[in-house]
Amino acid sequence: LSVKAPMEMGSSSTEKFYRIPEGKGPHSVGCTDLMTENAVEGSFLRLYYPSCNATDNEEAPWIPDKEYYQGLSDFLNMYRVVGERLFQYYVGSVTCPAKSNAAFKPGEKYPLLVFSHGLGAFRTIYSAICIEMASQGFIVAAVEHRDESASATYYCKRKSISERQEESTSNMEKEWIYYRKLKTGEEERCLRHKQVQQRAQECIKALNLILKINSGEEVMNVLNSNFDWNSLKDSVDTSRIAVMGHSFGGATVIESLSKEIRFRCGIALDAWMLPVGDDIYQNSVQQPLLFINSEKFQWADNILKMKKLSSNDTNKKMITIKGSVHQSFPDFTFVSGGIIGRFFKLKGEIDPNEAIDISNHASLAFLQKHLSLKKDFDKWDSLVDGIGPNVIPGTNIDLSPAE
């Protein structure tokens, strides 16, 4: 898949218009992909991190393989051949504003954030959030889940001897895993609960992997890249770790908090609560938790589950961003024009940049408080209480019992 950087394509107005926003913090941002061995049991993630100024490095491709277009087509019930062409045409040249394999910026210990994607998504399409966090001094590990909830993902397996002779380039090949649709008559909650447990384990695996690299252990990356993983040694503040995710990733945040005490707090963006197990509500999430909801996605039953989880704990907060939709959190909202954006509900009534700023600022203020960061993110504390333009405390959903 050839992805042209915007510079090469000339500065046409459309190129500037469809742009994933850059990080607003003091750090330049790099990103790199990491996949460990053990095939499907291993870890796969995109790491976003504070980087040295990398003028020579190109921006990372946003959607790195055509198979992701095929998976998105499956997820959206489109013919693959049609979907692939459409995605290639509209977003084939989109890059994310992080420099691919840029040198890591050493010299301080950064808090760690593990990020979990939503249903039908994958590791690269929440780059606006992950890049902002990295620009503000976080190392962000965006996990790609292999529970068949991603549109597409893959692991690498060694080629057989006969295949190797044909092609001398690499002895590894990609084994693709596509989104699994519900079978006829299958109960959704059962499948999603099973998936969310795997997802939480994958978040914990990612955490262990980054801490392993931090301690100086050699890690084999089966993806070829010239990123120096040794540069991460002693760079993670191991006492300041949080987990964040969108939709199904929001449920994954809750499941991960209940299983792993090293996650000191969590942020659930427009969480989908169906996958969360009943056992979790029996006091098994002790850590602080921030629910950031869109105005248009939520419904009473889902909100009541969040409230059940939060019962009278002042460190569990909920806010709603006015005019926002479920797709205000992933990157598609930035790379779609107004008509297509509204038609596919990728855009709400609020400007996408304003919505993501509210979400990111509230997240940073919450993280500063609960990870005891010495930053100035507390200037956004009021947002965590739902005070400010286009934000309300709690929910816009009427929770009074139906007549």
Side-chain angles (χ1 to χ4, degrees):
L1 175 66
S2 70
V3 176
K4 300 183 190 76
M7 280 103 72
E8 292 168 30
M9 295 187 60
S11 55
S12 67
S13 56
T14 53
E15 198 60 44
K16 283 202 197 75
F17 182 60
Y18 299 134
R19 193 87 181 104
I20 295 165
E22 291 178 21
K24 298 180 172 69
H27 300 280
S28 298
V29 177
C31 74
T32 191
D33 289 325
L34 173 60
M35 185 187 291
T36 60
E37 294 180 296
N38 311 350
V40 77
E41 300 300 317
S43 278
F44 188 18
L45 57 87
R46 176 163 282 195
L47 196 79
Y48 300 85
Y49 51 88
S51 72
C52 304
N53 281 338
T55 41
D56 298 343
N57 296 57
E58 287 195 354
E59 287 193 347
W62 180 50
I63 298 181
D65 297 271
K66 71 173 187 333
E67 284 83 356
Y68 288 106
Y69 300 147
Q70 294 172 358
L72 284 165
S73 305
D74 292 352
F75 181 68
L76 297 168
N77 292 319
M78 291 163 75
Y79 289 114
R80 278 188 178 188
V81 63
V82 176
E84 195 181 323
R85 282 194 182 155
L86 279 173
F87 283 115
Q88 182 65 57
Y89 179 78
Y90 281 109
V91 299
S93 61
V94 173
T95 56
C96 74
K99 295 295 179 78
S100 193
N101 297 317
F104 180 75
K105 186 178 182 181
E108 62 178 287
K109 284 188 183 288
Y110 303 104
L112 173 65
L113 196 54
V114 174
F115 191 94
S116 171
H117 65 72
L119 196 66
F122 37 94
R123 74 190 185 285
T124 67
I125 61 174
Y126 293 89
S127 68
I129 294 171
C130 296
I131 288 169
E132 175 60 19
M133 294 296 155
S135 80
Q136 300 286 1
F138 287 82
I139 292 173
V140 185
V143 176
E144 189 155 290
H145 292 296
R146 288 167 166 165
D147 60 335
E148 300 180 295
S149 70
S151 271
T153 185
Y154 65 93
Y155 59 90
C156 289
K157 66 173 193 180
R158 295 194 186 284
K159 285 181 181 168
S160 66
I161 304 294
S162 59
E163 286 173 309
R164 259 182 239 187
Q165 285 158 353
E166 287 165 30
E167 218 179 307
S168 56
T169 44
S170 164
N171 66 349
M172 299 299 260
E173 63 178 332
K174 292 178 179 177
E175 186 72 28
W176 285 89
I177 303 167
Y178 290 101
Y179 177 75
R180 154 153 139 53
K181 290 192 163 80
L182 276 176
K183 299 183 178 112
T184 316
E186 183 178 18
E187 206 234 326
E188 182 161 34
R189 189 154 186 262
C190 185
L191 172 66
R192 302 307 180 205
H193 181 52
K194 193 168 157 243
Q195 287 176 320
V196 83
Q197 289 173 301
Q198 179 176 335
R199 286 166 144 261
Q201 287 309 325
E202 287 170 338
C203 288
I204 295 162
K205 256 187 225 171
L207 163 59
N208 289 334
L209 179 61
I210 301 302
L211 294 184
K212 202 167 156 181
I213 293 166
N214 181 63
S215 71
E217 271 191 64
E218 278 288 318
V219 166
M220 166 73 181
N221 185 10
V222 301
L223 305 174
N224 297 326
S225 82
N226 54 6
F227 182 72
D228 177 14
W229 287 96
N230 296 323
S231 61
L232 259 72
K233 187 174 189 282
D234 297 327
S235 63
V236 178
D237 186 337
T238 56
S239 67
R240 294 183 165 89
I241 299 166
V243 59
M244 183 177 195
H246 172 244
S247 194
F248 203 170
T252 309
V253 164
I254 294 162
E255 197 77 29
S256 301
L257 288 172
S258 78
K259 287 188 162 68
E260 181 52 78
I261 202 70
R262 287 174 298 173
F263 289 126
R264 282 185 47 190
C265 62
I267 299 168
L269 307 171
D270 228 10
W272 178 41
M273 299 297 286
L274 175 86
V276 177
D278 294 335
D279 55 318
I280 304 291
Y281 296 99
Q282 316 306 319
N283 253 354
S284 66
V285 178
Q286 305 299 328
Q287 303 97 310
L289 177 57
L290 173 62
F291 289 104
I292 302 179
N293 293 339
S294 73
E295 185 181 347
K296 306 291 184 204
F297 174 70
Q298 293 298 336
W299 62 101
D301 188 44
N302 209 52
I303 295 284
L304 288 168
K305 285 178 176 168
M306 294 179 194
K307 287 194 169 294
K308 191 174 171 186
L309 200 70
S310 313
S311 58
N312 305 325
D313 179 348
T314 54
N315 286 328
K316 294 195 170 68
K317 301 266 189 189
M318 186 194 298
I319 60 170
T320 299
I321 300 171
K322 289 203 280 194
S324 61
V325 293
H326 197 50
Q327 296 299 327
S328 294
F329 300 95
D331 297 334
F332 281 106
T333 189
F334 302 108
V335 298
S336 57
I339 296 165
I340 283 181
R342 288 236 157 71
F343 182 76
F344 287 109
K345 297 194 171 68
L346 301 173
K347 287 185 193 298
E349 287 141 27
I350 190 173
D351 176 274
N353 290 281
E354 190 183 347
I356 213 77
D357 281 351
I358 292 170
S359 180
N360 287 336
H361 292 164
S363 299
L364 288 163
F366 187 80
L367 290 165
Q368 168 154 330
K369 181 176 181 183
H370 297 293
L371 297 180
S372 315
L373 304 175
K374 292 175 175 57
K375 301 273 189 180
D376 63 349
F377 307 149
D378 51 353
K379 63 189 173 198
W380 297 308
D381 276 352
S382 62
L383 291 175
V384 181
D385 293 316
I387 298 162
N390 287 315
V391 63
I392 57 168
T395 183
N396 59 306
I397 303 294
D398 178 10
L399 300 175
S400 57
E403 288 296 315

